[in-house]
Amino acid sequence: MSVSEMDGFGSAPPTAAAEAPEFLDKAITCIDCSKDFIWTVGEQVFFRDKQLQNPPKRCKDCKQAKNERLAAIALAQASGIRQRIEVAVDCARCSSSTTVPFYPSQGRPVYCRSCFLEMNPQVLNGGEK
C-alpha cells in the first residue's frame, strides 16, 4: 500500500463493503391496519440512497389509501366545494361494518350508530340527561 492510499493515521480507508450495513428483509406492523408487511432489502437500499431516516409505517395498501384521502382533501380545498365523504370502518364495540362521514383519527375508536347511541343516550334527548 502506498503512502497516498493511507489515511493520516497509517491505516487504509474503510472499504465500501465495510461502510454499507448489511440489509435483511424486515417485518413491520402497519399503524393503520395492524397487519405485518415486509420491508424488502431493495426498499431499504432506496431509503438509504434517498437519505430517508425512518422506515415506512404503513403497508402499501394503507399508504395508497392515505394518499387518496389527502388528494381528496386537497381537491375539496382547491375547488371550494364541500365534498361529502363516506369511509367504511368496523365498529370498535360490536365489529359490524358501517360507514362514517369522516376520516377516523389513528388510534381512536369508531362506533356504529346503534353502539354510539347506546353509549350516549343523551344524544336522542337533545343533550338533556
Side-chain angles (χ1 to χ4, degrees):
M1 185 175 286
S2 70
V3 175
S4 64
E5 292 176 310
M6 308 272 261
D7 66 10
F9 300 103
S11 62
T15 62
E19 290 177 4
E22 194 169 315
F23 294 112
L24 299 172
D25 287 352
K26 293 182 182 178
I28 299 176
T29 303
C30 177
I31 61 172
D32 288 344
C33 67
S34 300
K35 294 180 183 172
D36 286 342
F37 66 96
I38 302 297
W39 189 28
T40 65
V41 171
E43 291 167 337
Q44 293 175 50
V45 170
F46 175 81
F47 271 57
R48 183 200 60 202
D49 292 347
K50 295 293 183 182
Q51 298 178 349
L52 301 172
Q53 300 295 318
N54 300 315
K57 295 179 182 179
R58 292 175 177 84
C59 64
K60 289 181 182 179
D61 292 337
C62 291
K63 182 178 179 182
Q64 182 179 359
K66 180 186 177 202
N67 289 341
E68 289 171 0
R69 285 193 307 267
L70 293 175
I73 291 168
L75 178 65
Q77 290 174 342
S79 68
I81 300 170
R82 182 167 165 82
Q83 302 289 324
R84 188 169 173 109
I85 61 168
E86 199 169 275
V87 180
V89 295
D90 291 331
C91 177
R93 190 168 182 200
C94 68
S95 300
S96 66
S97 293
T98 187
T99 58
V100 292
F102 58 89
Y103 293 113
S105 297
Q106 178 184 334
R108 306 265 325 256
V110 178
Y111 302 104
C112 65
R113 183 171 190 80
S114 59
C115 288
F116 180 79
L117 292 174
E118 188 177 311
M119 294 168 53
N120 300 290
Q122 70 275 10
V123 172
L124 294 175
N125 300 336
E128 298 175 14
K129 290 186 179 183

